[in-house]
């Protein structure tokens, strides 16, 4: 999935689950994310659009989700970050990946992994929840200067302010 400068979304590759069938009329996109077999787009007005395979409801954007500033997609779950720092998650929650921790109200970035989710807090700390078979939610002690997060299927990453990368899982 890619975002063009004019806000149009382009998708290619295996589309057997509809993940490359960008919804007609999808314009003004400012961010995109690709999951296992689904895709997300964030519109400039803060609304989220989802399409593709939805066996676990990962394309069923919650009613009332507005003011989103970022989107992320896990394997069969989806995440949105609201302007107020709250995270909204939906789709497959069988490993707890959609159970956003209580009190998480200061997130500035999000990431979705195979069965886990990450949030970067405004103070540089990382919060992780969901599947932990490989330690992917065991945030390293002392990690307090992160500026970005990413998640793989069974691992997690943080980019630190000094340019170093911390990987766990």
């Amino acid at each position: 999935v890619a975002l063009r400068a004019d806000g149009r979304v382009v998708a290619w590759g295996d589309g057997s689950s509809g993940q490359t069938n960008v919804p007609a009329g999808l314009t003004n996109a400012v961010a995109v994310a690709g999951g296992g077999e689904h895709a997300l787009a964030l519109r400039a007005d803060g609304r989220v659009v989802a399409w593709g395979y939805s066996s676990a409801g990962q394309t069923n954007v919650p009613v009332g989700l507005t003011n989103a500033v970022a989107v992320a997609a896990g394997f069969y779950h989806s995440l949105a970050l609201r302007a107020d720092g709250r995270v909204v998650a939906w789709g497959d929650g069988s490993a707890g990946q959609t159970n956003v921790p209580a009190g998480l109200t200061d997130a500035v970035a999000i990431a979705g992994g195979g069965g886990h989710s990450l949030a970067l807090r405004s103070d540089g700390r990382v919060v992780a929840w969901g599947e932990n078979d490989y330690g992917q939610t065991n945030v390293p002690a002392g990690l307090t200067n992160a500026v970005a997060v990413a998640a793989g299927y069974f691992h997690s990453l943080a980019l630190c302010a000094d340019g170093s990368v911390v990987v766990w899982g």
Side-chain angles (χ1 to χ4, degrees), residues 49-140:
V49 178
W51 65 96
Y53 190 60
S54 193
S55 64
Q58 63 267 39
T59 64
N60 299 338
V61 179
V63 174
L65 174 56
T66 59
N67 296 319
V69 295
V71 291
F75 194 66
Y76 286 139
H77 71 288
S78 301
L79 302 150
L81 173 61
R82 296 177 63 141
D84 64 5
R86 291 182 294 143
V87 177
V88 178
W90 65 96
D92 178 16
S94 62
Q97 64 269 48
T98 58
N99 298 337
V100 179
L104 179 57
T105 59
D106 62 344
V108 295
I110 53 176
H116 70 290
S117 301
L118 304 175
L120 172 62
R121 299 182 89 150
S122 59
D123 64 2
R125 292 181 296 136
V126 177
V127 178
W129 64 96
E131 183 177 18
N132 196 34
D133 293 348
Y134 296 90
Q136 63 267 42
T137 64
N138 295 339
V139 179

